[in-house]
Amino acid sequence: MSYLAVDDDICALATVPGVSALAVIRCAGPHCIDKLADITNKPQKLKSCIGYQALFAEVRDGAETIDECVFVAFRAPKSPTGQNGIDIMCHGGTVTVRRILSLLERHGFRTALPGEFMFRAVHNGKIDVLKAEAVDELIRAQTDIAQEAAVKKLKGGLRSEFEVLHAHLIAGAAACAVQLDYGEEEAGETIEVMYRELDTSYRLCTELIGSYAKGRLMQEGAVVVLAGKTNAGKSSLFNRILKEERSIVSEVHGTTRDYVEAALDIGGIPVRLIDTAGLRSTEDAIEAEGVRRTELLAESADVVLYVVDGTQGCTPDDEERMRRYKRCIRVWNKTDSEHALPVPEVPLRTEEVLQVSGATQGVTLLGDSEHFDAWVATAAKTGAGEHELMQKLFAVLTAESNTGASLACSVSTKRQYLVLQRIEQNLKVLCEKLRYAKQHHFDMYYVDIQEILAVYAELVGETNPEMILDSVFSQFCVGK
Ligand SMILES: Nc1nc2c(ncn2[C@@H]2O[C@H](COP(=O)(O)OP(=O)(O)OP(=O)(O)O)[C@@H](O)[C@H]2O)c(=O)[nH]1
Ligand SMILES: [Mg+2]
C-alpha cells in the first residue's frame, strides 16, 4: 500500500485503544463523507454537512445500531488534510471501536498507514514537512521542556533557523550568477563574497548538526544505571532520587536481585533510571543472573552512577569496572556514617580515564574531565549530596550537546540531521574550491550551489515527497 494512493478513503483510530469515555476514529478521502453517511441513521443530513459542522447520529450496521456518535465533517480544501474528512467521536472501549472500524472497511475504507493523514496534509500543501515532524515530536514529548521545544518548532522556529542558512546560500548563488553575466571582471571580489556567504552557511549548518545531540536527548532520553557492589546503597539512592520507596532496601547483601526501573525528568531530559543487583561473585544461580544483567545494563548505559560504600572504600575491581563504562559518575555513599572513610580526592589521572573511555567506546571526549574524575559524596540515608549528584548527572548528559546552544531550536529528527550533513559536506568542498582553486570556474560553482539548494529543498520538504515518506511518515502513529 502506498501513501501516494491519495484518492483512497482511509480510516484509523486516532486515540489510544482501550477503555475510555470517548474514542475518535478519523476518516479522510474524496468520498469519505458520502460513504460514511450511508451507514448512519441521518445520511442526507451528513451528506449536506458543511465543513467544520458537527452532527449527532447513529452508526448502523443494517438495522442494528452500533453506537451513538458525534461526527465532525471537513470539506476540501479547507480541511486538516486538504481533502474531505470526518472525525467520528464514538464511545471508547475496544468492541465499539473494532465494530465501527470493521464496518468502515466493509464500506470501502482502507486502514490508514502510519502518519497517512499527515502525509496528505503535506501533499496538499496544508502543512510543511517540518511542521509534520514537529507534530510528531509534540506527541512523543516526555517532559515539559521537550514539549515546549516541539511547540516552538510547530510555530516555525526551526524553519526560521533553516531560512537564515538558505538566505546565505541564495546570496552566494546570486553573486555567482552576476559573475556569470559579467565574465572575467572583478572575479576576485565575487570569490570573496561567495566565500563569505557560503562559509557562513557552512558554519550555520555545522551548528545545526551539533544541535542534534541535544534535540535527540530531549526526545529520546537517556538510560542511567545505578551500579556497584552489594550493600553500597544503590537502592537507597534510587528511592531517594525518586522520592518514593520503590526498591527494597536492607542490610543483607544481594537484596536487589533483578533490575528495577523508573522514569524521571532531569532538567527536561527523559531519563530511565535503573537500580540493579549488586555486583559480587556468587554461587546462587538467580543472583548470578541478576549480576549478569547489571553488567549488560551498565555497559550499554548512557551514564553509570557507580556507587561505592564509603565505609568500605573503593577496591581495584571497582576501579576496573568503572573504566569499562562509557560515562561514569563515581558516588561515595554513606558519608553520614561514623565509619565513613574520607572521600578520595582524585582517584585516577584524567588522561587515563579519558583514554579508556574514548578508546574503548569511541565516544567524544568530554572537555571537562571533572565529569569523570571527582567523587560525588552522598548519604542516601539523609539526602546529602543528592543535589550535587543530579547537577553532575545533568552536566554529563548534556556535555556532548552544547554545540547548538546558541540556536533557538535544535534539530531532532535523523532525517534533518542526515540531510544537513549532506549540505555541510557539499559546502565544505565548495568553500575549499573557492579558497584554494588556482582557476575559478563560475559555471561549475553555479551548478554546485544549485545542487546544494536542491538538497536544502529536500530538508524543508519542498521536493521529493516520495523519498521522504519512509523516513518521516512511517514512524508516525497510525491515525495521525
Ligand atoms: N548510614 C548509611 N546507611 C546507608 C546509606 N545508604 C544505604 N545505607 C544502608 O546500607 C544498607 C544497604 O542499602 P541498599 O540501598 O539496600 O544497598 P544496595 O546497594 O541496593 O544493595 P544490594 O541490593 O544488596 O546490591 C541498608 O541497610 C541501608 O539502610 C547511607 O547513605 N548512609
Ligand atoms: Mg539494592
Side-chain angles (χ1 to χ4, degrees):
M1 197 48 63
S2 162
Y3 286 94
L4 290 171
V6 288
D7 290 330
D8 287 2
D9 293 302
I10 53 173
C11 65
L13 178 65
T15 45
V16 179
V19 177
S20 60
L22 292 177
V24 175
I25 294 171
R26 175 157 286 181
C27 307
H31 312 292
C32 71
I33 299 179
D34 290 350
K35 278 184 188 165
L36 186 63
D38 291 335
I39 50 169
T40 68
N41 63 336
K42 296 177 187 169
Q44 287 317 317
K45 277 200 169 164
L46 196 54
K47 282 178 189 176
S48 56
C49 265
I50 57 165
Y52 291 93
Q53 190 180 355
L55 178 76
F56 179 77
E58 289 180 6
V59 171
R60 287 192 172 172
D61 187 359
E64 187 191 358
T65 299
I66 304 289
D67 196 9
E68 293 179 333
C69 308
V70 172
F71 299 84
V72 180
F74 304 100
R75 291 286 179 186
K78 289 185 179 173
S79 66
T81 59
Q83 294 188 314
N84 282 344
I86 198 147
D87 279 358
I88 309 170
M89 273 177 261
C90 60
H91 289 99
T94 48
V95 180
T96 306
V97 168
R98 175 172 51 72
R99 291 195 67 186
I100 295 176
L101 284 171
S102 104
L103 193 60
L104 290 170
E105 248 176 70
R106 277 190 276 133
H107 284 79
F109 285 82
R110 155 168 83 72
T111 304
L113 299 167
E116 194 167 6
F117 295 94
M118 196 75 97
F119 170 76
R120 290 186 179 191
V122 172
H123 184 79
N124 293 324
K126 303 301 286 187
I127 57 168
D128 63 29
V129 73
L130 297 177
K131 190 159 179 173
E133 286 169 326
V135 170
D136 190 51
E137 200 173 319
L138 183 63
I139 292 170
R140 294 179 196 280
Q142 297 175 62
T143 64
D144 287 8
I145 291 177
Q147 193 267 358
E148 284 160 22
V151 171
K152 226 182 237 177
K153 287 179 204 172
L154 198 62
K155 294 192 148 300
L158 199 53
R159 178 170 270 276
S160 310
E161 304 284 356
F162 291 162
E163 277 168 358
V164 179
L165 167 72
H166 187 245
H168 288 286
L169 286 176
I170 292 292
C176 188
V178 170
Q179 187 65 38
L180 283 175
D181 281 348
Y182 288 101
E184 295 298 299
E185 288 167 40
E186 293 171 3
E189 209 171 291
T190 305
I191 291 293
E192 276 307 305
V193 175
M194 283 176 66
Y195 182 78
R196 193 181 63 226
E197 297 297 341
L198 299 178
D199 185 59
T200 308
S201 302
Y202 171 74
R203 282 168 207 281
L204 284 169
C205 219
T206 307
E207 203 175 346
L208 284 160
I209 290 167
S211 74
Y212 178 58
K214 180 178 165 198
R216 200 177 50 164
L217 190 64
M218 288 288 173
Q219 196 65 21
E220 294 175 9
V223 176
V224 176
V225 167
L226 281 153
K229 286 192 184 142
T230 54
N231 221 42
K234 301 177 294 299
S235 300
S236 306
L237 209 50
F238 181 71
N239 292 345
R240 166 71 59 189
I241 294 168
L242 294 180
K243 297 180 179 49
E244 59 180 287
E245 298 304 309
R246 184 78 65 89
S247 260
I248 301 171
V249 167
S250 91
E251 71 284 355
V252 177
H253 285 252
T255 299
T256 308
R257 292 233 157 171
D258 199 353
Y259 66 90
V260 183
E261 66 174 89
L264 199 65
D265 175 350
I266 299 184
I269 303 165
V271 164
R272 241 179 92 203
L273 183 68
I274 307 180
D275 178 27
T276 60
L279 296 159
R280 67 166 175 177
S281 43
T282 170
E283 298 291 302
D284 183 318
I286 299 169
E287 194 185 348
E289 174 57 20
V291 170
R292 194 184 70 86
R293 290 180 186 197
T294 302
E295 277 164 354
L296 288 175
L297 285 166
E299 276 166 30
S300 64
D302 293 295
V303 180
V304 173
L305 303 181
Y306 194 90
V307 188
V308 166
D309 182 340
T311 65
Q312 304 297 312
C314 181
T315 58
D317 56 325
D318 286 319
E319 289 287 2
E320 206 275 314
R321 279 200 194 98
M322 284 189 275
R323 282 178 218 203
R324 264 191 260 146
Y325 308 138
K326 185 160 54 176
R327 289 184 285 179
C328 179
I329 296 177
R330 303 154 162 263
V331 185
W332 192 266
N333 192 37
K334 303 195 188 179
T335 49
D336 61 308
S337 162
E338 55 180 311
H339 306 294
L341 300 166
V343 183
E345 277 189 8
V346 180
L348 211 65
R349 280 184 295 117
T350 303
E351 314 82 73
E352 212 176 326
V353 182
L354 290 178
Q355 209 182 14
V356 170
S357 59
T360 59
Q361 303 294 333
V363 296
T364 314
L365 300 182
L366 298 184
D368 185 356
S369 59
E370 210 191 303
H371 293 320
F372 285 108
D373 283 8
W375 287 94
V376 181
T378 62
K381 213 164 205 171
T382 63
E386 185 197 353
H387 181 66
E388 195 196 343
L389 179 61
M390 289 295 107
Q391 272 190 327
K392 190 152 194 165
L393 178 56
F394 182 78
V396 171
L397 285 169
T398 54
E400 287 174 29
S401 49
N402 286 333
T403 33
S406 64
L407 298 166
C409 283
S410 52
V411 167
S412 51
T413 75
K414 192 157 188 189
R415 183 196 72 84
Q416 293 164 9
Y417 172 72
L418 293 176
V419 178
L420 279 164
Q421 275 192 328
R422 280 163 54 206
I423 298 176
E424 186 196 39
Q425 184 54 32
N426 291 352
L427 277 169
K428 188 173 178 218
V429 172
L430 182 52
C431 284
E432 276 168 10
K433 283 190 209 165
L434 291 172
R435 180 121 279 195
Y436 302 112
K438 294 210 165 60
Q439 266 201 316
H440 293 296
H441 300 285
F442 287 96
D443 50 347
M444 284 162 74
Y445 293 161
Y446 193 74
V447 172
D448 287 345
I449 303 176
Q450 292 308 315
E451 276 173 13
I452 295 170
L453 284 166
V455 186
Y456 176 86
E458 211 182 297
L459 175 69
V460 293
E462 281 164 8
T463 55
N464 296 329
E466 290 104 293
M467 272 180 63
I468 57 176
L469 294 183
D470 272 357
S471 61
V472 180
F473 297 98
S474 59
Q475 287 161 26
F476 281 27
C477 313
V478 173
K480 191 64 225 160

